[in-house]
Amino acid sequence: MATITPALLLDQERLIRNVARMRDRAEALGVALRLHMKTAKSLDVADAVVAQGEGITVSTLVEAEAFAGAGYRDILYAVGFEPGKADRVEALLERGVDLQVIVDSPEVASWLATSDIGAGVWIEIDPDGTRCGVSPDDDRLITIGSALGSSLRGVMTHAGGSYACRHGSEIARAAEQERAAVVAAAERLRAAGAAVQGVSVGSTPTATFASDESGVTEMRPGVFMFQDLYQAGLGVCRLDDIAVSVETAVIGHRSNGELVVDAGALALSLDRSTARQELDWGYGAVTDTDGRLLDGLMVRAVTQEHGIVANRAGSIDLERYPIGSRLRVLPNHACMTAAAHAGYHLPDTFWPRITGW
Amino acid sequence: MATITPALLLDQERLIRNVARMRDRAEALGVALRLHMKTAKSLDVADAVVAQGEGITVSTLVEAEAFAGAGYRDILYAVGFEPGKADRVEALLERGVDLQVIVDSPEVASWLATSDIGAGVWIEIDPDGTRCGVSPDDDRLITIGSALGSSLRGVMTHAGGSYACRHGSEIARAAEQERAAVVAAAERLRAAGAAVQGVSVGSTPTATFASDESGVTEMRPGVFMFQDLYQAGLGVCRLDDIAVSVETAVIGHRSNGELVVDAGALALSLDRSTARQELDWGYGAVTDTDGRLLDGLMVRAVTQEHGIVANRAGSIDLERYPIGSRLRVLPNHACMTAAAHAGYHLPDTFWPRITGW
């Protein structure tokens, strides 16, 4: 039990189990894991889950810098590079880190080619039109490949569209779409004479439901390490796989049979992703301090430092939860909730998070 | 211009102007200011805006501890106290800080009365049924007042309902409702023999539109220091009063005429409060680096580290915004956006924020 509330708790056993399961999947599919550290942002978590020799993925340069300081050498910075970040990328390369960047435009590819930065570069492929990347059938793919020349490392993609799926069979189709797009891009580049080594796919949902990754060399899932209510709603995990929760204290009783707790919008985040799923968890599902779901209890509303806990099925027996009692909240979206906290409370230690940019 | 993106910028001139205007209002209304530091969470901001002899309001004990360390002595911790926080409250009192806590239940009032903590206590009054507090006509008010005895400092309230208003005249009514509730509570307690010194109201909207604060001794607005798009939508401020923005770099061009920027859900927050106003700003309004609004440009969508900037009126002329160019995003809700950042970038300095709990 964390003394100070609200506090982010991490269940190390679930973390290890989630990663072991994903590692088994990757082995069965014949691909490497390049774990995405954007959710955990923690050297301690990485120590616990990254295998010897594996590369990692990061979402910010401050993560890259922290992991470089801890000895990680093969790091993919998986958010589109722009020239304003050249100095920090260069500094990492000069420290001997194999920092790799991603591009999806001929302009940036040319800029990199004429700079003397020398980072390995992956081309970002758009599998579903949801965010970034060049389409496999876009002629700019070849232009980018030619501009990069020998700095080209591979092609990578992120199936953002998988988050809009409703169940496993839809996600499996999104996974095949993701695979097909990035493999097609690799083949087209190879046909044009480019040396494409890496073929990388992302996303926890597709990594969980893919049945075939032919042509793919690696997967970059991240949030699966912690899982969350949204992933549970997708069928990616069970509720008892969720490895992070926010411990909170009851600070008030409302006359309508609701509790007020000291975890609000800052401690839980404003993520409402489960609102578009069959089971809407408000701002989080409520458990006791042993992690057992309290039937029907969820965080109905939040303001900055207040959460309102309601019972889906009616009012709460307030006497069961005196002021000062402790509850835990399972997050809708682990990446967002974890980001509000300085680190993870484990029974005997505290694992700091890497924050900022 | 901040070198690293995304970065939170603070316009000190606007901050000072916003506070000067609120101070004029408070003087005209005949009430003191007890500025709420929950938005700024910064010793430097407090130094710039808190007048000699004024008390402050905080939303977390970590703020109280930081402000105590900087010499502030009159601090109201304005989130319901629960016994798990007694040690930290006691430690602050032992340092000579006049830390005051709030309660809205007989249970906690009795607990405080029988403890030897000795903090000054305010009773939280519910003006509108939106969150916490005891109603002025609830008999528990008298029970709480009796239990507190000489530790009672006053009554305080927060007109959370004012955030659901649509324009100034509605907010003025919410302000009168807030005033009436807390003054009625004070009078009822006094009639029962309690010594009620402080009568405190909160909320930026009501502080801005109140025309009469008879019976009130102080106001505790916070977000007005920075203002934001939501406050602008309420008519509380103009867009050019907004003192914080997030500087971001363009990292991609989408074929549908949208920009991808490196400020996403973490840097901007997921706050969508303007969605319920007439003018929905998505996840933020986009300006150039001189702070001039770029007509129709807003952040339409975010993922963890990506923002998608769209033009309300159609597609964006992408050539005007090459990859690497800088933009700024005005936040929907300054409290939430600021919370994602380690501090404020000013032209020649950096002001750190107090984070965590």
Side-chain angles (χ1 to χ4, degrees), chain B residues 28-338:
Chain B
L29 291 165
V31 300
L33 277 183
R34 180 188 286 280
L35 294 173
H36 206 317
M37 301 313 299
K38 78 188 181 90
T39 306
K41 293 195 185 220
S42 155
L43 300 178
D44 299 293
V45 170
D47 280 356
V49 301
V50 179
Q52 191 69 33
E54 278 181 350
I56 60 170
T57 313
V58 299
S59 62
T60 60
L61 286 176
V62 77
E63 289 165 61
E65 289 156 353
F67 284 108
Y72 291 84
R73 283 295 168 267
D74 177 2
I75 303 177
L76 173 61
Y77 168 45
V79 173
F81 173 84
E82 51 88 18
K85 300 189 173 72
D87 289 352
R88 293 170 76 192
V89 168
E90 210 160 8
L92 283 162
L93 293 166
E94 280 166 10
R95 287 164 67 180
V97 178
D98 179 16
L99 184 82
Q100 300 137 58
V101 300
I102 69 173
V103 303
D104 68 356
S105 73
E107 301 91 290
V108 179
S110 300
W111 190 93
L112 279 165
T114 56
S115 78
D116 56 358
I117 292 183
V121 184
W122 297 65
I123 305 176
E124 184 169 17
I125 306 302
D126 181 0
D128 53 21
T130 56
R131 193 168 71 187
C132 301
V134 58
S135 289
D137 56 0
D138 187 327
D139 288 342
R140 293 183 307 155
L141 176 65
I142 305 302
T143 315
I144 296 169
S146 308
L148 292 175
S150 64
S151 64
L152 177 65
R153 285 293 177 86
V155 286
M156 57 81 73
T157 193
H158 169 72
S162 67
Y163 277 71
C165 294
R166 291 185 170 263
H167 42 69
S169 57
E170 272 184 36
I171 298 172
R173 282 196 293 278
E176 176 51 24
Q177 184 182 346
E178 178 186 42
R179 187 200 70 80
V182 73
V183 170
E187 286 171 0
R188 199 166 161 219
L189 282 162
R190 286 174 185 140
V196 179
Q197 291 151 17
V199 180
S200 178
V201 295
S203 130
T204 283
T206 54
T208 305
F209 284 102
S211 56
D212 175 20
E213 291 290 12
S214 303
V216 167
T217 64
E218 65 175 36
M219 303 198 298
R220 306 183 321 279
V223 69
F224 80 95
M225 290 186 212
F226 293 166
Q227 302 291 14
D228 55 31
L229 294 169
Y230 191 78
Q231 297 299 332
L234 285 174
V236 163
C237 68
R238 302 186 322 182
L239 290 176
D240 63 8
D241 293 322
I242 300 175
V244 286
S245 61
V246 175
E247 185 151 315
T248 185
V250 175
I251 60 170
H253 290 161
R254 285 166 56 85
S255 53
N256 66 349
E258 293 180 329
L259 302 170
V260 184
V261 296
D262 67 359
L266 287 196
L268 300 176
S269 96
L270 285 169
D271 192 280
R272 286 287 291 111
S273 48
T274 60
R276 50 180 196 266
Q277 295 185 320
E278 262 175 56
L279 193 56
D280 180 352
W281 282 108
Y283 294 86
V286 178
T287 79
D288 64 18
T289 53
D290 292 320
R292 279 185 297 254
L293 269 183
L294 294 166
D295 273 348
L297 265 58
M298 54 184 267
V299 181
R300 174 183 65 77
V302 289
T303 51
Q304 184 168 342
E305 298 294 348
H306 297 78
I308 307 286
V309 174
N311 184 344
R312 272 180 209 285
S315 63
I316 297 172
D317 176 8
L318 299 177
E319 288 188 9
R320 285 184 58 190
Y321 307 102
I323 292 173
S325 55
R326 300 289 180 99
L327 298 170
R328 292 185 187 166
V329 182
L330 301 179
N332 278 335
H333 185 172
C335 307
M336 293 302 300
T337 299

